[in-house]
Every structure is written in C-alpha cells, then in structure tokens.
Amino acid sequence: MGEDTDTRKINHSFLRDHSYVTEADIISTVEFNHTGELLATGDKGGRVVIFQREPESKNAPHSQGEYDVYSTFQSHEPEFDYLKSLEIEEKINKIKWLPQQNAAHSLLSTNDKTIKLWKITERDKRPEGYNLKDEEGKLKDLSTVTSLQVPVLKPMDLMVEVSPRRIFANGHTYHINSISVNSDCETYMSADDLRINLWHLAITDRSFNIVDIKPANMEDLTVFFFLSEFHPHHCNLFVYSSSKGSLRLCDMRAAALCDKHSKLFEEPEFFFFCSFFSEIISSVSDVKFSHSGRYMLTRDYLTVKVWDLNMEARPIETYQVHDFFFFKLCSLYENDCIFDKFEFFFFWSDSVIMTGAYNNFFRMFDRNTKRDVTLEASRESSKPRAVLKPRRVCVGGKRRRDDISVDSLDFTKKILHTAWHPAENIIAIAATNNLYIFQDKVNSDMH
C-alpha cells in the first residue's frame, strides 16, 4: 500500500452511470448487508437501488464479484410540514441492513423525518388451479363449479418483491442524522441534532428517549449531535458524537435517561492550533466501532482517529487524510466545502481504514505498516480488470509527472460515501451519481 508501488491489481465494475446528472441521482448512502451478497444505495431522489453479487461461474471466472441490479424502489417521497411551513426532502440519509432471520432480507431507510422498514423477498413459483378463480384471477360463478381440484405451484420467472413492513414516524422534531441497529436484533436507535431515540422494531407508534440535550432556552444551545452508534457486541453500550468533536460512551444499564456518560473521549486542543475553524474541522462526521469492539474510529474534516476504549485522554492513532488543506481553510469555508461530511470504513480484520476525499480520490491507511495510498475512482479507469495506479497530491516543490497540484483538485467531485464487504477485499465507492466496485485480485489481505 505504498505510494511508490503500483503492483496492486484491483478488478472493478462500473455499475451506475448517467450522462446527464440531476440532483436526485446523487448517491447519498452505501451499505453492504451482513453477508456481502447484497449492496444497497440510496440517493437524493428517495430511491433505493439494491445490487446482488453474481455467483461464481466456471464459464466466466472473471464475472465473480460483479454486482447487478437486483431491485429498485421508491423509499421516500417529498413531504411538507404544514405546522412549521417546512419542506421535508426525500433524500435517503442512511440505510441499515438487519441480520437475516429467514429467506427474506430486511433493511431500514430514513430521510430527515421518517424511518421505514422494508422487506425484500423472492418469488419464482406461482399457484395455479384455483377452485373459485379463473386463469385471470377473477371469481368464478359458483354454479359452474362442479368439482374440486388441488392447486399446484408452477415455476415462473424470478420476481423480487419489496414491501414496506413498518413506518416509524413522528419520533423526531429535528433532522435525523443516523440510525444504528442493536446487536440484540430487536431494537435500533435514531439520532437527530438534539435527541437520541430507542425504537423496538415491532413498535412504530412510540420510542424511548435515551439522550436529550435540548436546553430550555434555544439561545443557550452551544452543542448538538451528529451521529450515534451501538457497540457491535454489547447491546447496552452506545457512543454519540457532538459538534465539538467529543465522543461520549453511554451504558443504558446505568439509567433510563443516559444524560451522564460513562466515558468521555476528547482530544486536548492546543492553543496554537485554535482558530475560527477549529470547531468546524473537529466536528465528527462519522464514528464506528472496530469489528472486535476494542477500538472506536472517528472521521473529522482533516483526519481519521483511532481510539482505544480503555484510554479516553487522546487517540492512539491519527491519520492525515488531506493535511495540505490546513492552510486553505478560508477558501474552503467560502465555497462551503469545509462542511462536507466524509464517511469511512474499516477492513473486516480491523487492519486497514478507507475514507473518501476530493477529486474522486479515496485514501487507504494500513494500521500495521503505517503506509497509505491514494487511489482514484474515475470513468477513465472503469474498464473491467483495470489496474488502479496510486495518485499523489503535490503541495509545491518537486513534482512528478502523474502528480496533481492541490490547487488543481476538483472540489465538486467528492467521495463522501464508501462501504467495505464484511468478509472479502471488495469495496464500494459512491462518486456523485456513479457507483464503483473495486476488488483486490492479487492480495488476500489488504497489507
């Protein structure tokens, strides 16, 4: 994963492309299911597109790993809040898959106000030979029914059915930022700017408020939420991040209202780094637990930090995503790029971190070797079995032939949403309205 090597051959498929990009086509979230067989994307138009991985074929060995469209459905529609005279966008903020309990798949999707539970099922047989219905499904005249027959199941073309099972509405006054499914597979939580609610998957008309930081006087508001996440193994633990960059680990066994945290993770701010932009760039845009549950990762505007749950004082590792922006914060503030919220993902062995950047670049950091690489998701490199070459951003001084100047970066091309296969070296990259799948065909480990 070094900057100077191009030996990593990554096979990838270009899945989604439109020559004319509308705002509704921009992908707003990407999520693999727990087996990696399915991949769901949500966009700003309220649509959810599910891709399914192709099975291995002896006739086409290179097709394994490619994902084809499995189902597309409209999850949310635009609404209008007449009490607040406020338009509610249909944009899908988050998608979370539920662990599979039977042949059907289930996922949660949310926009700013409403969370929906969807069920995805397959049907490849249809019943025929009804006693009271004809071939077109119309009821027969009972006087014409003279004998009884046993209906039989006949094969038919595979049909994927997506149906809404439950709608969790009216639980939030402010915009929903995140949802997280608990390890007990029965509850999940949703977080808006000021409150975190705990829901039961079987109950839609009420939720339990577990964190509330809304002040009596809104003028006294100095901090708000961004994200909350359940621990992967302990159903009583969860963490939430604040706009000031701090993280609070809470234990639901301690009290019904988790207004007092068990642990506070906050990096000390050095006075010579303080500036007008300090709070903006330190705001946590994504937080996740490692698969082992021992570590916690956060992404702010410039860095990715790794925290040990047993050490609150400071992160044990800090990775600079684009440190060359530190002296360009004024211009980034003027074009609103400083408010972009980047996500990241952890490799399933907890050894590699992946996160997005500008110019359709994405960064990968190896925690073992401390080496990193910058790769690009672009139309030019979208041919099957292509080789992704490392890219390098130059800040002045000596410049190689393939280097790109920091002043030449395209800030309209940004990779905010990424996902990693739960068991293999397959990653999904959302670049505006395009979805890329990259697969490492050489190394079994991302080292």
Side-chain angles (χ1 to χ4, degrees):
M1 292 187 59
E3 291 278 8
D4 299 324
T5 177
D6 59 355
T7 59
R8 300 185 66 252
K9 299 179 185 296
I10 304 180
N11 191 25
H12 62 296
S13 306
F14 186 66
L15 296 181
R16 184 177 178 183
D17 182 24
H18 302 282
S19 56
Y20 178 71
V21 183
T22 65
E23 185 74 12
D25 294 325
I26 297 176
I27 299 174
S28 56
T29 184
V30 183
E31 190 82 12
F32 279 103
N33 74 336
H34 291 75
T35 63
E37 176 193 1
L38 300 177
L39 171 66
T41 67
D43 61 28
K44 290 188 175 183
R47 297 181 296 265
V48 173
V49 181
I50 302 175
F51 299 90
Q52 184 181 44
R53 190 180 186 189
E54 287 292 309
E56 184 176 6
S57 172
K58 293 182 179 179
N59 298 327
H62 299 296
S63 67
Q64 185 192 14
E66 294 185 357
Y67 285 75
D68 290 330
V69 175
Y70 180 65
S71 178
T72 302
F73 61 96
Q74 188 73 31
S75 175
H76 287 74
E77 301 281 355
E79 302 175 32
F80 189 81
D81 189 336
Y82 292 96
L83 292 176
K84 297 182 179 179
S85 297
L86 184 69
E87 292 184 3
I88 302 173
E89 293 183 345
E90 65 270 32
K91 171 191 170 187
I92 306 298
N93 292 340
K94 293 289 181 182
I95 290 175
K96 291 293 182 182
W97 290 91
L98 300 181
Q100 190 174 2
Q101 306 290 340
N102 46 44
H105 298 274
S106 300
L107 63 81
L108 290 168
S109 64
T110 182
N111 65 347
D112 287 340
K113 293 293 181 183
T114 305
I115 305 167
K116 296 183 180 182
L117 173 63
W118 297 90
K119 183 179 180 181
I120 302 101
T121 55
E122 292 182 353
R123 190 150 61 93
D124 58 358
K125 293 182 176 61
R126 66 168 178 265
E128 292 185 359
Y130 286 108
N131 290 287
L132 303 179
K133 294 181 180 179
D134 57 21
E135 294 180 356
E136 297 179 356
K138 297 180 180 179
L139 287 174
K140 296 180 180 179
D141 183 359
L142 296 182
S143 61
T144 63
V145 179
T146 58
S147 62
L148 296 179
Q149 57 184 347
V150 178
V152 295
L153 293 175
K154 295 289 185 67
M156 58 176 284
D157 292 337
L158 179 66
M159 184 169 62
V160 179
E161 296 179 337
V162 181
S163 56
R165 304 299 293 174
R166 292 179 178 86
I167 297 177
F168 305 87
N170 304 319
H172 288 275
T173 305
Y174 307 98
H175 293 177
I176 299 174
N177 298 320
S178 68
I179 53 177
S180 178
V181 180
N182 202 346
S183 59
D184 62 8
C185 300
E186 294 182 354
T187 57
Y188 75 93
M189 66 178 172
S190 56
D192 63 25
D193 292 340
L194 298 177
R195 295 188 178 100
I196 299 176
N197 292 340
L198 182 67
W199 301 80
H200 194 285
L201 287 167
I203 302 173
T204 61
D205 58 350
R206 64 186 180 274
S207 60
F208 189 79
N209 181 234
I210 54 177
V211 180
D212 189 348
I213 63 168
K214 182 182 178 182
N217 185 356
M218 289 296 285
E219 293 181 357
D220 299 331
L221 182 64
T222 59
V223 65
F224 53 91
F225 294 143
F226 270 131
L227 301 161
S228 61
E229 186 79 12
F230 270 118
H231 191 279
H233 308 306
H234 303 295
C235 60
N236 55 291
L237 295 178
F238 70 94
V239 66
Y240 67 88
S241 65
S242 75
S243 58
K244 292 184 179 296
S246 62
L247 300 160
R248 287 170 171 81
L249 184 70
C250 299
D251 190 339
M252 291 190 292
R253 298 172 300 182
L257 186 63
C258 302
D259 52 352
K260 294 182 180 179
H261 53 266
S262 301
K263 292 186 177 182
L264 173 64
F265 300 86
E266 191 171 30
E267 191 172 18
E269 187 175 32
F270 300 102
F271 70 93
F272 47 86
F273 283 145
C274 292
S275 70
F276 170 77
F277 307 106
S278 296
E279 184 172 328
I280 301 175
I281 64 175
S282 63
S283 297
V284 175
S285 60
D286 197 9
V287 57
K288 289 182 177 68
F289 286 96
S290 64
H291 295 84
S292 66
R294 170 69 185 274
Y295 303 102
M296 186 169 56
L297 281 83
T298 61
R299 168 73 204 263
D300 55 40
Y301 189 70
L302 298 179
T303 65
V304 174
K305 296 182 175 69
V306 181
W307 301 80
D308 191 319
L309 292 187
N310 297 326
M311 192 175 80
E312 306 171 54
R314 60 182 59 85
I316 60 173
E317 300 168 22
T318 299
Y319 300 95
Q320 301 293 334
V321 180
H322 32 222
D323 52 346
F324 39 79
F325 286 160
F326 191 79
F327 299 102
K328 297 177 67 67
L329 296 179
C330 283
S331 58
L332 292 168
Y333 179 80
E334 290 172 357
N335 61 18
D336 286 342
C337 286
I338 199 171
F339 300 105
D340 288 334
K341 304 302 179 187
F342 292 91
E343 297 176 0
F344 71 91
F345 248 88
F346 227 177
F347 184 46
W348 51 269
S349 67
D350 294 342
S351 59
V352 180
I353 302 167
M354 172 184 64
T355 190
Y358 293 106
N359 211 74
N360 279 359
F361 289 167
F362 60 98
R363 306 290 310 281
M364 305 185 80
F365 303 93
D366 192 312
R367 297 183 58 208
N368 296 327
T369 63
K370 306 303 178 186
R371 300 169 73 183
D372 64 86
V373 65
T374 301
L375 300 171
E376 182 181 8
S378 64
R379 180 178 299 223
E380 288 73 19
S381 60
S382 62
K383 297 178 181 179
R385 303 181 66 188
V387 177
L388 285 186
K389 295 183 178 180
R391 302 299 305 269
R392 183 172 176 267
V393 178
C394 180
V395 191
K398 268 193 171 183
R399 182 175 173 184
R400 305 175 193 173
R401 186 181 64 177
D402 295 331
D403 288 355
I404 182 170
S405 170
V406 65
D407 298 319
S408 302
L409 293 176
D410 188 346
F411 292 101
T412 63
K413 296 180 179 179
K414 59 190 79 171
I415 294 178
L416 303 178
H417 311 288
T418 60
W420 207 314
H421 191 285
E424 298 184 36
N425 297 340
I426 300 175
I427 58 176
I429 303 291
T432 317
N433 66 314
N434 300 321
L435 178 66
Y436 297 85
I437 300 293
F438 298 92
Q439 182 174 14
D440 191 340
K441 288 292 189 181
V442 176
N443 303 317
S444 60
D445 292 318
M446 299 293 289
H447 287 178

